[in-house]
């Protein structure tokens, strides 16, 4: 029996609904499974879900989102739970993101961006290292 390969899972935090919808669509058309969220708190709840979960390959977080957990801190939470999760920060002014405030190996993309730019960064992250670890509840696994 041949093993079924699953598509990489991307969790997308975008405060703007239009950006979230367009970006989700672009990523799905590029072969990724995507879970979109409006607030960092929503993503944090997903990341802290109980065992029996699906692995998150890449977190795309809007550094400009201000919530109970902001977009920058969200990447720290994700990396505490899984040091191998890939991270892409999006920001209106990425030059303001100090390297000390970003997790190691994270990439940054200035907003507004084109979907193909984000797809390229995600592909770069996924090609750099195999992922093992952070998972989400099975009921959120669209490929299951």
């Amino acid at each position: 029996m041949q093993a079924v390969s699953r598509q990489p899972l991307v969790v997308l935090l975008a405060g703007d609904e239009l950006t979230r919808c367009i970006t989700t669509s672009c990523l799905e058309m590029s072969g990724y499974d995507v879970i979109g969220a409006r607030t960092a708190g929503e993503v944090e709840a997903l990341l802290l879900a109980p065992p029996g979960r699906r692995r998150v390959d890449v977190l795309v977080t809007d550094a400009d989102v201000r919530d109970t957990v902001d977009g920058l801190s969200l990447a720290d939470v994700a990396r505490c739970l899984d040091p191998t999760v890939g991270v892409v920060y999006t920001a209106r002014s990425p030059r303001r993101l100090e390297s000390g405030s970003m997790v190691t190996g994270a990439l940054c993309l200035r907003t507004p961006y084109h979907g193909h730019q984000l797809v390229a960064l995600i592909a770069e992250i996924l090609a750099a290292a195999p992922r093992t670890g952070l998972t989400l509840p099975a009921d959120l696994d669209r490929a299951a």
Side-chain angles (χ1 to χ4, degrees), residues 22-84:
I22 291 171
T23 303
T24 295
S25 178
C26 180
L27 291 173
E28 288 175 341
M29 287 189 302
S30 297
Y32 298 108
D33 287 336
V34 183
I35 297 175
R38 183 181 57 81
T39 67
E42 290 174 12
V43 176
E44 186 179 39
L46 291 171
L47 297 175
L48 293 172
R53 307 174 295 177
R54 178 165 178 204
R55 185 170 49 91
V56 174
D57 296 292
V58 179
L59 169 66
V60 178
T61 180
D62 183 344
D64 298 317
V65 167
R66 300 292 177 247
D67 193 15
T68 54
V69 177
D70 64 42
L72 280 172
S73 298
L74 182 61
D76 290 327
V77 170
R79 280 287 176 84
C80 283
L81 296 170
D82 176 8
T84 67

Side-chain angles (χ1 to χ4, degrees), residues 73-141:
S73 298
L74 182 61
D76 290 327
V77 170
R79 280 287 176 84
C80 283
L81 296 170
D82 176 8
T84 67
V85 69
V87 174
V88 176
Y89 294 100
T90 62
R92 287 186 297 268
S93 183
R95 288 182 287 274
R96 287 190 181 173
L97 296 178
E98 298 174 18
S99 59
S101 64
M102 298 190 315
V103 296
T104 304
L107 300 177
C108 193
L109 185 61
R110 181 186 172 118
T111 58
Y113 54 83
H114 293 282
H116 70 275
Q117 293 172 301
L118 181 57
V119 168
L121 289 181
I122 291 171
E124 182 179 331
I125 286 173
L126 293 174
R131 305 278 167 234
T132 58
L134 191 60
T135 56
L136 288 181
D139 61 343
L140 293 175
D141 184 351

